[in-house]
Amino acid sequence: MLARGVLLLAGLAVTALGFAWFVDTYDRTVAYRDAPVCATAAAAPGTDCVRHETGRVTAARALDEDARELRIARESAPTDRYEVGKAFYEAVEIGTDVDLTVFRGRVAEVSYRGHRAANPIRPWQTSVKVALLVAAGSALTVRSASGPRRNARRVILSGAGWVAFLSALGGFAVLSSQGPFVVSLGIPLLGWLGATAITTLIAVTDD
C-alpha cells in the first residue's frame, strides 16, 4: 500500500510539473499582449511590462514557400533570427529598422509598418517535452491504481503512448491558437483526466 501511495504521489507530481511547464510557456507566449508599456502610468512598480526597442535587419532568407527568416540586430542583446511571413519579408530589406516588443527579457513580437510576427517559444518543442512528462505522470498514476495485475504493464505502456501522442498534438494546437487561458489549460487537463481514468479502468478490469 505504501509503494502504491508513493507511485501515486510521484505520478501526480510529474504530471503537475508538465502542466506547470505548459502554463509557463503559455504565459510567456501570450501574456505580453495585455501587459502595460514600461515607464507609463499603467505599469505599476513590480508588474511585468513590455518594452519597445528598435532592431535592424542584417540578413534575410526563405525557409519555405510561405515562411521567411530575418536576422535582426539589437542594441541591448545579441543578434537573433526571427520567423516572419512572406509579406513582412518583402516589405523590408537589409538595413531596415523594425520595431521589437520585448517582454521579460525576450522579443515577443517583431513589427514593421503594419506587418507583425509573433516570436513565441517553438510550440512543437515545448509540446513534446510537456507530453513526455504528462505521459510519465499518467503511467505512474495508473500503475498505483491498478496494482500488480497481470496485464497492467501492457495496458499502462499502451495508454502512456496514446497520452504522449495526444498531449503533443493537443499542446501544439493550443499553444499555436493562443486562446483564452481557461480554455487553453482546461482542454489538456480534461484530456489527461479522461485518458488516465480510461487507462486505469482498462488496467483494473483487463485480466
Side-chain angles (χ1 to χ4, degrees):
M1 184 64 69
L2 177 60
R4 293 175 66 175
V6 171
L7 280 175
L8 176 61
L9 291 176
L12 294 177
V14 172
T15 302
L17 178 60
F19 277 107
W21 200 345
F22 176 85
V23 170
D24 180 64
T25 301
Y26 174 89
D27 195 39
R28 285 190 288 167
T29 304
V30 180
Y32 79 93
R33 297 184 176 189
D34 297 321
V37 178
C38 297
T40 63
T47 60
D48 291 322
C49 58
V50 295
R51 184 164 45 86
H52 294 288
E53 293 183 5
T54 298
R56 176 160 296 180
V57 178
T58 60
R61 68 188 182 101
L63 296 177
D64 54 42
E65 185 177 348
D66 298 315
R68 303 292 187 269
E69 182 182 84
L70 301 179
R71 190 174 179 86
I72 299 176
R74 297 172 56 190
E75 294 182 0
S76 60
T79 299
D80 206 349
R81 298 180 177 88
Y82 304 92
E83 290 186 21
V84 300
K86 185 177 180 180
F88 196 140
Y89 173 84
E90 293 176 345
V92 300
E93 57 187 25
I94 306 302
T96 298
D97 288 336
V98 296
D99 298 319
L100 306 176
T101 300
V102 181
F103 183 65
R104 296 178 182 171
R106 63 180 296 273
V107 175
E109 187 176 271
V110 183
S111 58
Y112 176 75
R113 294 185 179 178
H115 300 287
R116 297 183 181 276
N119 184 46
I121 299 169
R122 297 192 181 274
W124 262 123
Q125 295 179 3
T126 299
S127 299
V128 170
K129 294 175 183 177
V130 170
L132 292 176
L133 285 175
V134 171
S138 180
L140 290 171
T141 302
V142 174
R143 185 68 181 84
S144 70
S146 63
R149 294 178 180 272
R150 185 177 58 185
N151 293 328
R153 180 176 297 180
R154 173 181 58 81
V155 175
I156 290 170
L157 290 177
S158 177
W162 277 107
V163 169
F165 173 74
L166 294 175
S167 296
L169 192 63
F172 173 74
V174 169
L175 289 175
S176 298
S177 66
Q178 299 186 348
F181 177 75
V182 174
V183 175
S184 298
L185 180 61
I187 291 177
L189 184 58
L190 289 175
W192 177 82
L193 288 172
T196 302
I198 292 173
T199 305
T200 300
L201 181 62
I202 295 174
V204 170
T205 57
D206 185 11
D207 288 326

